[in-house]
Each structure stands twice: as C-alpha cells, then as structure tokens.
Amino acid sequence: MVVDEPATEEHLAKVLQRPRRAVADALRELSDDYTVQGRGFDLRLVAGGWRFYTRPEYADAVEGFVLDGQQARLTQAALETLAVVAYRQPVSRSRVSAVRGVNCDGVMRTLLQRGLIQEAGTEPETGAILYSTTNYFLERMGLRGLDELPELAPFLPEADAVEGESQEGVPSFAPDAPDPEADDKTEL
C-alpha cells in the first residue's frame, strides 16, 4: 500500500527475509482470499509486480473521493496516440502522426509528462527518437505485459500500408522545433 510501483516478489522476499516461492504463494493466496471474501480491494499481479487495486464495483465511489471534482482523464487524441505507441513500439513521433493523420507532438509531450511513454533509443536510418510504453502504462492498464494487449481489429489497415505514408522529413510546427528555412532567410 505504500509503494509507488508494483512490488516484485523478489523485493518482497528480500524485505521479509523469506523464500521468493513462499512469498509468491502467499500473494496468490491473499489475492484469491480477497476475491472470495468480496473485499473492496483486489491484489493483482501487474507490470512485473503486485499492487492493490479497487474492485471495479467500488471504483466510482473511490474515484469521487480521490478526485473530488478534478478531471484526470486522457483526451481522445491522447488515447489514440497511446494506442499507436503501445501497438507499434518502438515508434517515432512522425510514424505516430502518420497513423493518426495529424501532428501528435503536443500529445506525445503530455504522455511523456504523465509517465505513460518513454524514449526508447533512436531510429538508425533517420536519427528520430523512438518511443515505447512504460511499466506505469502497464500498471494503469492492469496488464502484466504487452502480450496482454487485445488483438487489433481485422478491419484496420495493415501497418506497412500506413508506414508508407509516413511523415518522416516533414517539418514540425511545434514551438520548440527548429525552423528548417531559418538559414535561407535574410534580414531586410
């Protein structure tokens, strides 16, 4: 209840000075007991560790108490961008923009600030920064790993077709982006 991210079985075993297997068995047993007893909370294995969650039937009450009028939800654009990163990672901003059909620089900055995505190296051909999802993303989504993401719908276009329309080399109009024509302009 006091950790910022899911606690691994190894860490708990070390802190409790118990064998990892005994800790793992105890965690699974506790999780099962909480479910059988109908507790308002759940102990789940997510993002490589264990964490307490509110049961879905009590989520509205807890959300109302914690947020008390604050709005912390992602916009539709942020959700779409996050989905593209999750399924195509590691992926560059320009490829995410190509899939969405709009510039996503601002949305990507928001997702970075919220800790849902992270830089994951650079693309060898272009030097573009690549992005991937974080463990925090897995935790917030209640997933153990990316393999638990649902399958994409069969009616979506193939990724290769979309990548052909990539906006690599298209200048960004973000406020912090360098102006590619700045060197060609002369003072009047």
Side-chain angles (χ1 to χ4, degrees), residues 146-168:
L146 293 173
D147 57 329
E148 289 188 354
L149 284 170
E151 292 294 320
L152 289 174
F155 57 86
L156 292 176
E158 290 296 319
D160 293 339
V162 174
E163 284 181 4
E165 300 171 16
S166 175
Q167 294 181 6
E168 295 287 348

Side-chain angles (χ1 to χ4, degrees), residues 12-55:
L12 290 170
K14 180 181 174 185
V15 170
L16 297 171
Q17 298 178 354
R18 300 280 187 255
R20 190 202 64 77
R21 187 73 213 152
V23 170
D25 292 343
L27 288 166
R28 283 177 179 73
E29 186 177 328
L30 276 173
S31 179
D32 293 343
D33 287 349
Y34 295 154
T35 300
V36 169
Q37 295 169 8
R39 300 275 180 116
F41 56 89
D42 188 14
L43 182 60
R44 294 186 207 157
L45 177 61
V46 294
W50 289 85
R51 183 164 209 157
F52 283 104
Y53 284 87
T54 303
R55 290 213 183 271

Side-chain angles (χ1 to χ4, degrees), residues 36-181:
V36 169
Q37 295 169 8
R39 300 275 180 116
F41 56 89
D42 188 14
L43 182 60
R44 294 186 207 157
L45 177 61
V46 294
W50 289 85
R51 183 164 209 157
F52 283 104
Y53 284 87
T54 303
R55 290 213 183 271
E57 56 268 28
Y58 302 108
D60 290 339
V62 172
E63 183 178 345
F65 179 77
V66 172
L67 296 179
D68 193 26
Q70 298 177 26
Q71 192 61 277
R73 299 189 187 279
L74 292 175
T75 64
Q76 183 68 30
L79 288 171
E80 290 172 5
T81 302
L82 187 55
V84 173
V85 173
Y87 281 99
R88 299 290 302 141
Q89 64 186 300
V91 64
S92 67
R93 284 185 189 201
S94 62
R95 291 189 190 232
V96 174
S97 293
V99 171
R100 290 203 55 237
V102 296
N103 185 307
C104 66
D105 289 350
V107 176
M108 293 286 284
R109 277 193 295 276
T110 298
L111 295 173
L112 274 166
Q113 289 171 346
R114 291 193 179 187
L116 295 167
I117 64 172
Q118 63 190 355
E119 291 185 7
T122 57
E123 198 169 65
E125 302 85 37
T126 65
I129 296 172
L130 298 174
Y131 296 90
S132 64
T133 55
T134 62
N135 277 342
Y136 180 64
F137 163 79
L138 294 174
E139 180 185 335
R140 298 296 297 167
M141 297 300 292
L143 303 171
R144 294 179 198 179
L146 293 173
D147 57 329
E148 289 188 354
L149 284 170
E151 292 294 320
L152 289 174
F155 57 86
L156 292 176
E158 290 296 319
D160 293 339
V162 174
E163 284 181 4
E165 300 171 16
S166 175
Q167 294 181 6
E168 295 287 348
V170 174
S172 171
F173 297 104
D176 57 348
D179 183 355
E181 299 178 21

